[in-house]
Amino acid sequence: MKKKFLLLLLGLCFGIFPLKTWGVTGPYVSVDTAHRKITITNDTSVKDYAVYTLEFDNKIKDLQVVRLTRAGSSYYLVMTRTNKKVRLILYDEQVNKISSKLINVIYHQKNWGYAKLSPKTIDNTKILEIKILKLNKNAKPLSLVLQRYTISPDQEQIFKRTEKKEENIVVPNVSDNDDDTASLKLLNYQRQASGLLPVKHNESLDAGCALHVEYLRLNDILTHGEDINKQGYTEEGAEAGMASDLAAQSNKKFANAIPLWFTAIYHRFPMIDNGLQGVGWAVSAQSNIGYYYKCLNVYGDKEYGVITVAGRAVDTTFYNVDNFEPIAFPGRGQIQVDPIFDSGESPDPIADFSGSYPVGQPISLTFSDNQTVSTMKISLKDNQGNNVTGYARVPNDPNDPNSIYQGNSVSFIAEQPLNNNTKYTVSVSGKVNNQDYQTSWKFTTW
């Protein structure tokens, strides 16, 4: 039975922003990563009006700050990251430095990649969790490092590490895993291979997906919206459908849809969004025509740049979600890449080229939304140095009927399936924010 996909319409999901900072009073925290600056403003409702500014040197690649309270007092915990070092710095309410701790140093031909500072409560204890990717000299993600600290300003040991672990990023063997575990492993392996942090299974999103796939099963249709006059309609299911990747397959295992969504390029983009924090999912019972309908909610637990860079909330990370290196798919140095894209996606990414399936694994490089990308070129060469012919797309192309789905990504789809067990080289060049830009990376098919 032929695989079927349907792409969610991105523009209809903007009404579900998690506006977590509204209605909160207190100092206003603002992070300016581009200028390596943090500004903290106390308004008159809190105390005498004052503005405090923290500035950092130009080696800093990322700044994140958490406003926290301990024993009734307010503090600011800042994480700074360079290519080689990650540091925690604690400030009091007047932004006087209390202490700092160098928590990660890396040497030799390795660098630190993307990182996230997150406040959490575990066993009734408030902790700060840091997740960070370790990269090799070619920016290939090697491992995920997780560290947890308690922060006690009134103790001699202010920063106390309670946990540290490191997991290598390798192709997962999910043959012995249950379906839920396998699905999350496959999703997070690809995110990490592309230089992103893993996401959690947000079970609160499962119920909406379950309602929507039941609607699809009862009506044997594949659609994001729901008709109030059709059987199985629910408001929650309709909302979930508009926030999800969908598929109809003859196999019940949900995990089987994950690699197919990654290959279907327009479905891929929301799965490799840097702001994605968690996903929910569901699969239906078999329908009358033999399909199992599948739903992956990729918008219900997502952080947006307009929300995360500033606010007044306590125990919330303020950071620039758009401050990331362009996201490569397949990842830099990734192995065992599926060489084939065998149709089934709607809208069809090669229809405007009059192409025919099967074609090669779609290749993409995704830039942040706040970057202006222009005059981009992308090429692919095999291990003999031969150029591969195919279909290239760039952002904001007026001739691209699927430009809304393309977003700020450069992509290339080979006209024919890629060769098995072959190393390929991708090259991208153009201008980013009116500055010359070029990059290249390699991946290997299975």
Side-chain angles (χ1 to χ4, degrees), residues 172-183 185 253 255:
N173 180 356
V174 298
S175 58
D176 294 330
N177 293 132
D178 63 76
D179 197 22
D180 283 352
T181 301
S183 298
K185 278 187 176 182
K253 289 188 67 173

Side-chain angles (χ1 to χ4, degrees), residues 119-412:
K120 296 182 178 292
T121 300
I122 298 178
D123 296 331
N124 296 317
T125 300
K126 290 186 175 182
I127 61 101
L128 275 297
E129 179 181 273
I130 301 97
K131 290 181 178 179
I132 185 167
L133 293 175
K134 182 184 291 185
L135 314 177
N136 73 4
K137 65 178 181 179
N138 297 317
K140 175 186 177 180
L142 300 175
S143 62
L144 174 69
V145 178
L146 179 145
Q147 293 174 278
R148 289 174 175 161
Y149 287 84
T150 57
I151 309 298
S152 305
D154 59 346
Q155 301 293 318
E156 182 177 354
Q157 186 179 3
I158 294 176
F159 303 96
K160 182 179 180 181
R161 192 174 71 197
T162 60
E163 183 178 357
K164 180 178 181 179
K165 61 182 179 180
E166 182 172 354
E167 296 181 355
N168 292 331
I169 299 169
V170 296
V171 179
N173 180 356
V174 298
S175 58
D176 294 330
N177 293 132
D178 63 76
D179 197 22
D180 283 352
T181 301
S183 298
L184 196 61
K185 278 187 176 182
L186 292 170
L187 172 59
N188 281 331
Y189 163 70
Q190 186 55 66
R191 282 182 58 85
Q192 292 174 93
S194 290
L196 300 169
L197 295 177
V199 297
K200 65 181 180 293
H201 179 190
N202 186 338
E203 296 182 5
S204 68
L205 302 176
D206 292 353
C209 267
L211 291 171
H212 189 63
V213 295
E214 177 64 4
Y215 171 89
L216 301 181
R217 185 192 70 84
L218 290 171
N219 297 285
D220 261 321
I221 54 175
L222 190 60
T223 175
H224 288 283
E226 293 189 10
D227 185 337
I228 195 171
N229 297 310
K230 290 185 180 292
Q231 57 179 332
Y233 168 85
T234 63
E235 185 176 344
E236 185 181 356
E239 181 178 314
M242 295 305 301
S244 302
D245 278 350
L246 304 175
Q249 294 182 297
S250 58
N251 186 293
K252 185 176 183 178
K253 289 188 67 173
F254 188 84
N256 288 344
I258 299 295
L260 296 175
W261 277 319
F262 274 124
T263 298
I265 190 167
Y266 298 138
H267 290 68
R268 168 194 304 169
F269 292 144
M271 297 168 71
I272 57 171
D273 189 299
N274 187 54
L276 188 63
Q277 304 297 308
V279 294
W281 60 75
V283 57
S284 74
Q286 191 172 33
S287 75
N288 289 333
I289 61 174
Y291 279 127
Y292 295 92
Y293 292 95
K294 301 176 183 183
C295 169
L296 177 71
N297 190 317
V298 289
Y299 276 89
D301 189 0
K302 182 178 182 299
E303 293 184 337
Y304 297 83
V306 294
I307 303 300
T308 61
V309 292
R312 302 182 185 277
V314 177
D315 293 330
T316 293
T317 304
F318 295 109
Y319 74 113
N320 183 359
V321 71
D322 290 320
N323 181 41
F324 58 84
E325 293 299 314
I327 302 164
F329 189 106
R332 297 176 185 272
Q334 187 174 342
I335 60 173
Q336 297 186 32
V337 174
D338 188 346
I340 298 175
F341 177 24
D342 190 19
S343 79
E345 184 171 26
S346 176
D348 187 338
I350 67 168
D352 197 50
F353 295 102
S354 300
S356 60
Y357 291 95
V359 292
Q361 171 72 247
I363 296 155
S364 60
L365 187 68
T366 301
F367 297 84
S368 70
D369 290 338
N370 64 0
Q371 291 179 310
T372 301
V373 179
S374 60
T375 64
M376 280 288 168
K377 296 180 179 179
I378 181 170
S379 63
L380 182 68
K381 291 185 177 182
D382 63 20
N383 56 356
Q384 303 298 316
N386 300 310
N387 284 308
V388 178
T389 58
Y391 316 113
R393 285 294 190 195
V394 297
N396 306 311
D397 181 356
N399 297 315
D400 181 3
N402 300 320
S403 181
I404 186 175
Y405 308 117
Q406 184 74 20
N408 219 20
S409 297
V410 181
S411 65
F412 180 88

